[in-house]
Amino acid sequence: MTKEKRNRGWYGKLDKDGFIHRSWMKNQGFPDHAFDGRPVIGICNTWSELTPCNSGLRDLAEGVKRGVWEAGGFPVEFPVMSLGETQMKPTAMLFRNLLAMDVEESIRAYGMDGVVLLGGCDKTTPGQLMGAASVDLPAIVVSSGPMLNGKWQGKDIGSGTDVWKFSEAVRAGEMTLQDFMAAESGMSRSKGVCMTMGTASTMASLVEAMGMSLPTNAALPAVDARRMALAHLTGKRIVEMVEEDLKPSDILTKQAFENAILANAAVGGSTNAVVHLLALAGRVGIDLTLKDFEIGGEIPLLVNCMPSGTYLMEDFCYAGGMPVVLNELKDKLRSAKTVLGGDISAYAEGAECWNRDVIHSIDAPLKPAAGLRVLRGNLAPRGAIVKPSAATDALLEHEAEAYVFENIEDLKANIDHEDLPVTADTILVLKGCGPKGYPGMPELGNMPIPAKLVKEGVRDMVRISDARMSGTAFGTVILHVSPEANDGGTLALVQTGDRIKVSASNGQLELLVPEAELEARRANWTPEPPHYTRGYAKMYIDHVLQADQGADLDFLVGKDTRPVTRESH
Ligand code: FES
């Protein structure tokens, strides 16, 4: 016997409540048969002109609708909060959990049976997945897709990655401000997300590795007609998923998360994937910890995309995209169900690679053992992470004196002083950029190299903070130090001149200061007063978990799948 559709609790009632639910929807011209019991499919859209990366999602929503109608469903599009990474202050990450709440409560409150998640820009994908997972109706992702390759002065240039390089070149006097300004237009030539393997493309790739989208979703350019066809096919598939009652909890198993961790290493993915996967796992009740990320440590880098390589997402697409990567990883992947209903092994079977310079084989990788490394020690008792594929190998084993910036204002005021007492060996430390401290854990971990060293040609230094880093950034940057300084972590106690030891190979991050001295400093430490005292930001500061737990809000962990039975009238 097929399960009664959830939408019957809204549109199947022959009383006043059913009249109200149907009649007001009919003001949009929907005929009677739209309410005849067919699956109602929500299309959860993060389109916004303030999220340029997601500005193509209105078109893709139309593609999804075609597929839903074709399969006998009833599509209904609805907006949720959109998070424009390059536009929001203090950081879009502050609002990821707010988007997740919006998505969760919208899905729960309305009479839908399944949902298509239209996201793209960095935080929109995890925010939507977290919200959908907490309701656990059938769900599938369609991503914005990357922008076309950036082009400037006859070269390919990549979102983010080249901005950091250009910015350092201007500071070193190697690039004119005029050229810097001219590169802006060449970098962003079409709709879509950053076309480097930044956080957006990383998360779309991991969505594919977890089986939460149709294959090829991650890399098809935003403006490629095949993405519209993919949206159409996704609309068809979600109707079938509702009939099959195939839910996120069936797909997002521990094995699926492990596949995401393995894939993240192979694509040279963003460090941000760590906090997003941890938070998502918390929603579906999977016990995922930083330790689980160690399985990525031995996975080689296969995808030659910026910031870990040289190509861009358009090239990755034409080389075959994620199906090729998953096929290369087939002997490593765990058995896990996908939105197609079968195993991940069938999902990418037989995918062919069309350019081995862009996607390397597992037997001849771009770099060996490229996965993220988890570091621990008295400076990060609950962990910190570093991305070796984007780091300088020689700096991954390093011991030196620290120079400390107490907060971002201190850094901005002093980083370019000619008499800053630093050398290329110094370890730069930035405090006050964790989830509670900033608040929202901004992407400031790849702090700029001091101007006097940039002029000497220094392009990388060991940097340590409780911040995150853009997925498009590079460098020997130790991130997500947990607990953060503003939560009383040891990071708060570091002083300029202290020695710090980093060993990526041993997973070590030690502040070489005697315990008695640290205790004395701790006794004198007082937390900074919070930067916000009202509204959502206050709620966030009061309830946010640390980075090693995904920086979700404590009361949002888990899910609630109970039916909504009470009416509004
Ligand atoms: Fe939106 Fe990079 S800023 S995807």
Side-chain angles (χ1 to χ4, degrees):
M1 200 175 80
T2 50
K3 196 169 138 187
E4 183 172 72
K5 301 277 181 310
R6 182 174 184 268
N7 83 65
R8 304 325 287 153
W10 281 256
Y11 304 122
K13 297 165 119 182
L14 300 177
D15 58 6
K16 165 186 66 80
D17 297 327
F19 179 107
I20 290 170
H21 292 310
R22 286 184 301 272
S23 176
W24 266 256
M25 287 295 278
K26 285 181 177 178
N27 83 354
Q28 299 171 87
F30 294 124
D32 282 339
H33 70 261
F35 307 96
D36 65 2
R38 65 189 59 217
V40 174
I41 304 299
I43 301 173
C44 176
N45 203 340
T46 52
W47 172 91
S48 167
E49 285 181 340
L50 287 168
T51 308
C53 317
N54 292 10
S55 62
L57 290 179
R58 266 186 176 167
D59 293 340
L60 291 179
E62 294 308 313
V64 173
K65 287 177 194 173
R66 289 180 198 169
V68 172
W69 284 120
E70 184 187 342
F74 173 24
V76 280
E77 183 183 352
F78 63 97
V80 285
M81 184 181 193
S82 192
L83 309 179
E85 188 70 27
T86 54
Q87 312 297 317
M88 297 185 93
K89 294 183 182 184
T91 166
M93 181 64 176
L94 177 62
F95 306 107
R96 182 200 64 181
N97 301 337
L98 185 57
L99 165 63
M101 289 168 83
D102 185 354
V103 171
E104 174 178 347
E105 301 306 342
S106 295
I107 294 173
R108 183 176 291 119
Y110 288 110
M112 64 189 80
D113 302 298
V115 63
V116 179
L117 305 172
L118 297 188
C121 193
D122 297 15
K123 309 301 176 291
T124 53
T125 301
Q128 286 184 300
L129 280 169
M130 288 159 65
S134 284
V135 195
D136 205 26
L137 295 183
I140 189 168
V141 171
V142 176
S143 302
S144 298
M147 288 187 263
L148 297 175
N149 286 6
K151 298 276 179 189
W152 182 66
Q153 291 188 341
K155 295 191 300 267
D156 279 1
I157 56 172
S159 328
T161 306
D162 278 312
V163 180
W164 318 127
K165 288 187 177 157
F166 293 161
S167 168
E168 296 294 55
V170 171
R171 294 171 71 232
E174 295 163 358
M175 184 180 195
T176 66
L177 197 54
Q178 204 178 11
D179 276 352
F180 184 69
M181 305 295 281
E184 276 179 20
S185 313
M187 186 164 283
S188 306
R189 298 190 302 124
S190 77
K191 290 177 179 175
V193 299
C194 294
M195 83 306 274
T196 42
M197 188 57 81
T199 303
S201 287
T202 296
M203 291 311 297
S205 299
L206 303 196
V207 160
E208 222 172 302
M210 291 191 290
M212 279 298 295
S213 70
L214 295 185
T216 75
N217 171 63
L220 278 171
V223 294
D224 193 309
R226 290 171 292 180
R227 180 163 290 282
M228 192 66 170
L230 181 111
H232 184 136
L233 293 171
T234 303
K236 279 184 75 178
R237 180 60 198 146
I238 187 67
V239 175
E240 295 163 0
M241 287 171 68
V242 168
E243 300 296 354
E244 295 161 16
D245 199 25
L246 181 56
K247 303 182 296 299
S249 57
D250 300 315
I251 297 168
L252 296 174
T253 58
K254 179 78 181 258
Q255 290 80 358
F257 283 97
E258 289 176 347
N259 288 341
I261 292 167
L262 298 172
N264 195 41
V267 303
S270 166
T271 47
N272 288 324
V274 177
V275 280
H276 298 325
L277 290 176
L278 289 168
L280 179 59
R283 296 302 185 102
V284 280
I286 299 294
D287 180 24
L288 191 76
T289 67
L290 273 181
K291 184 144 187 52
D292 290 301
F293 285 79
E294 289 169 3
I295 62 168
E298 295 313 310
I299 296 294
L301 178 66
L302 304 182
V303 176
N304 188 3
C305 269
M306 292 184 199
S308 298
T310 51
Y311 290 96
L312 295 167
M313 288 300 290
E314 200 182 333
D315 310 303
F316 181 43
C317 171
Y318 304 150
M322 275 310 284
V324 176
V325 175
L326 296 175
N327 211 25
E328 287 296 329
L329 293 176
K330 61 178 184 284
D331 294 336
K332 315 259 180 209
L333 291 179
R334 283 50 169 159
S335 174
K337 200 177 253 193
T338 76
V339 288
L340 294 178
D343 191 77
I344 188 79
S345 55
Y347 184 83
E349 202 170 15
E352 279 191 74
C353 182
W354 307 108
N355 188 338
R356 279 293 177 201
D357 200 28
V358 178
I359 309 175
H360 286 234
S361 72
I362 198 144
D363 301 324
L366 186 61
K367 277 189 189 177
L372 303 176
R373 295 295 154 90
V374 178
L375 309 180
R376 282 195 188 77
N378 68 343
L379 188 46
R382 285 166 53 180
I385 56 169
V386 66
K387 180 178 176 181
S389 65
T392 303
D393 288 343
L395 290 176
L396 288 168
E397 310 293 323
H398 191 67
E399 183 185 319
E401 285 189 359
Y403 185 88
V404 175
F405 298 103
E406 292 297 328
N407 51 43
I408 191 62
E409 288 76 22
D410 182 12
L411 181 144
K412 286 190 171 168
N414 296 303
I415 189 85
D416 286 343
H417 277 180
E418 284 301 321
D419 53 0
L420 196 74
V422 293
T423 70
D425 276 342
T426 304
I427 295 177
L428 301 180
V429 173
L430 173 62
K431 304 178 186 176
C433 293
K436 285 178 196 285
Y438 200 70
M441 207 183 172
E443 296 185 334
L444 292 168
N446 56 320
M447 55 197 103
I449 305 295
K452 72 175 205 183
L453 298 178
V454 170
K455 287 178 197 149
E456 291 169 16
V458 177
R459 289 294 181 271
D460 194 12
M461 296 171 74
V462 175
R463 289 158 274 178
I464 300 175
S465 75
D466 44 15
R468 294 177 303 116
M469 165 172 98
S470 165
T472 63
F474 53 90
T476 313
V477 186
I478 294 163
L479 302 154
H480 308 191
V481 168
S482 188
E484 63 174 296
N486 292 57
D487 203 37
T490 314
L491 186 67
L493 311 180
V494 185
Q495 295 180 357
T496 293
D498 289 349
R499 290 192 76 78
I500 293 176
K501 181 176 180 185
V502 176
S503 171
S505 61
N506 292 327
Q508 249 185 319
L509 184 59
E510 298 288 347
L511 178 61
L512 304 176
V513 172
E515 192 50 40
E517 167 65 15
L518 289 180
E519 279 313 311
R521 290 183 195 177
R522 193 175 295 284
N524 285 324
W525 177 77
T526 44
E528 254 191 337
H531 285 254
Y532 293 84
T533 54
R534 68 166 298 283
Y536 169 74
K538 174 170 170 33
M539 182 174 79
Y540 179 93
I541 294 167
D542 289 347
H543 290 280
V544 70
L545 298 168
Q546 287 295 285
D548 64 312
Q549 294 172 294
D552 200 358
L553 302 185
D554 53 11
F555 58 87
L556 292 175
V557 173
K559 60 187 171 189
D560 183 356
T561 59
R562 291 172 301 165
V564 184
T565 52
R566 292 184 170 176
E567 290 284 347
S568 58
H569 302 98

